[in-house]
């Protein structure tokens, strides 16, 4: 494992060099928070950011993605043929992605890239990315990532882990992709022998600051129907207004809908984020809706994350403990309470 020291004074210049080889994505201010965005020429990521309302899952799973296009205009070549839209060219570096968001991409990868199905659109987005993570030195009070198989300094899914060490970043090089990014940026100063210890000390401090936890050790041993029919659901979820905020903010929610949009003789087939919280999500053409009531939709979200995923993949919860849904739910519905209730039922 090698460590590179990046003096903060040379950070901006290095990113400008890296820009020649990568499209850069990073955190930028937005109202009272931050968001991940493609960085325009001369724009730099705000590495002092605390949190983002949305995760950067859109880099692999865009909110709206054109998959195919067609034309009925017979004066044009290939008319009446549905054609795949070519992949966007070039490599991308996702700067400042948080460790729990990188882990979330690995969890969603189980859905989009498995032995039965490989989603070409998701995969081509994923493969062009280099993930340059930023460790969380001061976790928020709603962060419960350490009980969800990740943590403020976790490395899974990252190519480089940057650690803010005051006047410099210590870069832990994790993959060849990460090594290439640092080389393109001209970051080559070997960190001193004490770098590994400095990172471990900051990691221990950050992990100790996380006091919020969930337990799910007993969930796998319970039957689906016992949990599905449990009497607590209506009480726990009655306040949910099905606004969908939690699903869009969540880095592990992957539901989508596919629509054809037509203008004149031209059309596109688009994949859009969808949400199990909306009534139309499961509304059958017959008029029947198997999740007729609001609380049933909310139960679906929690059963998927806390039971179905656990049973199907044996990879823990479909939740990385980022705390976004806890912070943003207008009805104060808290997945930590639901998870612990399921575990103790
Ligand atoms: S749980 Fe909260 S954020 Fe999610 S849909 Fe219900 S009210 Fe909205
Ligand atoms: S369920 Fe909530 S805490 Fe868990 S990953 Fe999604 S947004 Fe984060």
């Amino acid at each position: 494992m090698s460590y590179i020291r990046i003096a903060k004074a040379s950070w901006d210049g290095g990113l400008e060099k890296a820009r020649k080889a990568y499209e850069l994505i990073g955190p930028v201010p937005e109202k009272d928070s931050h968001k991940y965005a493609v960085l325009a020429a001369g724009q730099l990521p705000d590495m002092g950011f605390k949190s983002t309302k949305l995760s950067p899952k859109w880099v692999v799973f865009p909110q709206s993605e054109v998959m195919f296009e067609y034309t009925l205009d017979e004066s044009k070549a290939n008319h009446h043929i549905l054609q795949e839209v070519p992949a966007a060219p070039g490599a991308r570096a996702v700067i400042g992605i948080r460790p729990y968001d990188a882990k979330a991409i690995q969890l969603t990868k189980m859905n989009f890239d498995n032995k039965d199905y490989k989603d070409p659109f998701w995969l081509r987005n994923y493969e062009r990315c280099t993930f340059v993570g930023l460790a969380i030195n001061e976790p928020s009070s709603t962060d419960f990532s350490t009980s969800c198989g990740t943590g403020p300094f976790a490395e899974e899914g990252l190519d480089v882990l940057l650690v803010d060490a005051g006047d410099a970043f210590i870069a832990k090089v994790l993959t060849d992709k990460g090594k290439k990014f640092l080389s393109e940026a001209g970051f080559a100063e070997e960190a001193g022998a004490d770098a590994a210890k400095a990172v471990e000390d900051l990691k221990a401090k950050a992990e100790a600051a996380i006091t919020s936890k969930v337990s799910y050790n007993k969930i796998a041993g319970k039957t689906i129907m016992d949990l599905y029919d449990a009497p607590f659901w209506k009480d726990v979820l009655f306040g949910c207004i099905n606004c969908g905020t939690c699903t869009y903010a969540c880095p592990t929610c992957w539901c989508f809908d596919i629509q054809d949009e037509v203008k004149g003789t031209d059309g596109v087939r688009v994949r859009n984020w969808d949400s199990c919280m909306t009534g139309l999500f499961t509304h059958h053409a017959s008029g029947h809706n198997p999740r007729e009531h609001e609380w049933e939709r909310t139960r679906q979200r929690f059963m998927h994350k806390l039971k179905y995923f656990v049973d199907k993949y044996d990879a823990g919860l479909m939740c990385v403990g980022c705390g976004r849904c806890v912070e943003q739910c207008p009805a104060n519905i808290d997945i930590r309470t639901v998870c612990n209730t399921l575990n103790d039922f």
Side-chain angles (χ1 to χ4, degrees), residues 125-169:
N125 291 334
Y126 177 75
E127 281 160 6
R128 62 191 288 236
C129 285
T130 297
F131 296 102
V132 183
L134 179 62
I136 305 172
N137 286 354
E138 294 174 9
S140 74
S141 61
T142 52
D143 184 329
F144 56 103
S145 57
T146 48
S147 54
C148 295
T150 177
F153 280 59
E155 297 166 11
E156 186 179 352
L158 292 175
D159 297 297
V160 177
L161 176 66
L162 298 175
V163 177
D164 190 330
D167 61 349
F169 293 112

Side-chain angles (χ1 to χ4, degrees), residues 57-65 121 125 271-273:
K57 72 176 175 183
W58 58 267
V59 300
V60 289
F61 177 41
Q63 196 162 0
S64 191
E65 180 171 32
F121 302 97
N125 291 334
R271 171 155 79 181
N272 301 305
W273 288 0

